[in-house]
Amino acid sequence: MNVNFSPEELVFQDEVRAFFAEEYPQDILEGRRKSMLASRDIYIRGQQALHTKGWAGINWPVEYGGTGWSVTQKYIFFNEFAAADCPTIIPFGLGMVGPVIYTYGTEEQKEKFLPDILSSSVWWCQGYSEPGAGSDLASLKTRADLDGDEYVINGTKTWTTLAQHADWIFILARTNSDVARKQEGISFLLVKMDAPGITVTPIYTLDGDHEINQVFFDNVRIPADQLIGEEGKGWTYGKFLLTHERANIAGVALSKQRLRKLKKKLASYEQQGQAPADVESFRRKMAEVEIQLSALEYTELRTLASVSTGKAPGPESSILKIKGTEMQQAIDNLFFELSAYGALPNLRAQYEAGYDGDIVDDDGSSLTALRYFNFRKASIYGGSNEIQKNIIAKAVLRI
Ligand SMILES: Cc1cc2nc3c(=O)[nH]c(=O)nc-3n(C[C@H](O)[C@H](O)[C@H](O)COP(=O)(O)OP(=O)(O)OC[C@H]3O[C@@H](n4cnc5c(N)ncnc54)[C@H](O)[C@@H]3O)c2cc1C
């Protein structure tokens, strides 16, 4: 896509490019070019480098330490971020609970939590889904019962991403069962992960990784002032958070970077005389993905433009979520097709041996297979794509 930047925006682009080339930890970028895997330390160091520069709160208001960037500046930043091969910004603090706290939290909660979220010195995870309550989230069974000035929490959360690293979890829990609609009586609570009664157990995914977990709450006591907003109104705050989550899942800049890598890979295969037999058909599929990605980029910019006027991203973020994750998976499919490596190496054993960046490389079968299997998740997390279609039908198309 061609965007005509103003002279100031071109200066900003140079500044961002120079930051990633000179100031950002280069070992992180080099490691990332070899492997999509990253440790807790790598994510934190990457985010802290952004914070040191004052660039951690990309979407946050200036009064809470945000960048105050325009839509175009954000667009420039994320394109440079992806082109430099930066590891993902873990969304649970900066992208999810941060906006909930500065929008609905008390002054004390803002003072207590926002600085640590901004500096990535505290790792958060998201406790929404439960066994039996995913798409139908309002059926959740975890309870939080007020006992004096504490809530007592009992229940199970599941699919909790990177909970094994987390210092805090934000949860939706039922505080009142005597309600007309099941969306009522749910509250949004902040819980410290080392509270007695919390147990985290791993769930291993198809690619062998330990990314997700179950989190059990057995009579966990938390101070009542860790409730966000009003008791029983958690559904409103939870939905606000989900629209932020979905708007950020599209990952257009990253898909563009992966498409560039795919083209490079095809070129290198052709040079070695190893191009697919029907290379023209492969090129056509790449072009189709590129056109769709370009259309998605305009949609993303429209949504960003509306967010920059102070609005929360609305149900339109479901469109970004569906199309963005479809694009991610379409590019993975093309990598897979080009590599013609169907075999999944023993990734579980490799994870257990501890990864050091050598087990995968950008042109190797391992990365292609690993990424292909890992990213089956993209059309499920953040609310499955089928559910996003229901939301669009109801809230956008008004069917
Ligand atoms: C890798 C990964 C990481 C995740 N991380 C987190 C996390 O950190 N925190 C968290 O809280 N959750 C997390 N999730 C959970 C995720 O949000 C849920 O998996 C998702 O909402 C679907 O819920 P479910 O798994 O219970 O599937 P179900 O709700 O049981 O759905 C099963 C299938 O039925 C379809 N379906 C269900 N209802 C309808 C309907 N009404 N119309 C049409 N189709 C329907 C769904 O689309 C899906 O294909 C994660 C999930 C994954 C895969």
Side-chain angles (χ1 to χ4, degrees), residues 152-223:
V152 184
I153 304 168
N154 282 289
T156 305
K157 295 291 173 183
T158 194
W159 313 126
T160 323
T161 300
L162 300 176
Q164 73 269 33
H165 298 323
D167 305 300
W168 283 80
I169 182 169
F170 53 89
I171 63 165
L172 290 175
R174 186 155 289 288
T175 40
N176 184 3
S177 303
D178 186 17
V179 287
R181 290 171 63 243
K182 60 185 174 183
Q183 286 79 3
E184 294 162 16
I186 291 175
S187 296
F188 192 109
L189 296 154
L190 312 178
V191 185
K192 209 154 184 274
M193 287 295 278
D194 62 4
I198 294 188
T199 315
V200 179
T201 58
I203 299 173
Y204 295 105
T205 42
L206 192 59
D207 57 326
D209 196 2
H210 172 200
E211 203 173 71
I212 51 179
N213 301 274
Q214 275 201 293
V215 183
F216 300 93
F217 296 81
D218 181 12
N219 284 318
V220 175
R221 291 186 163 267
I222 62 161

Side-chain angles (χ1 to χ4, degrees), residues 353-387:
Y355 48 76
D356 57 8
D358 291 341
I359 67 163
V360 282
D361 71 71
D362 205 25
D363 277 325
S365 58
S366 304
L367 177 60
T368 299
L370 184 122
R371 164 94 204 183
Y372 177 88
F373 284 106
N374 186 275
F375 266 74
R376 300 303 91 195
K377 68 188 177 187
S379 41
I380 304 171
Y381 62 31
S384 74
N385 284 11
E386 290 80 13
I387 295 300

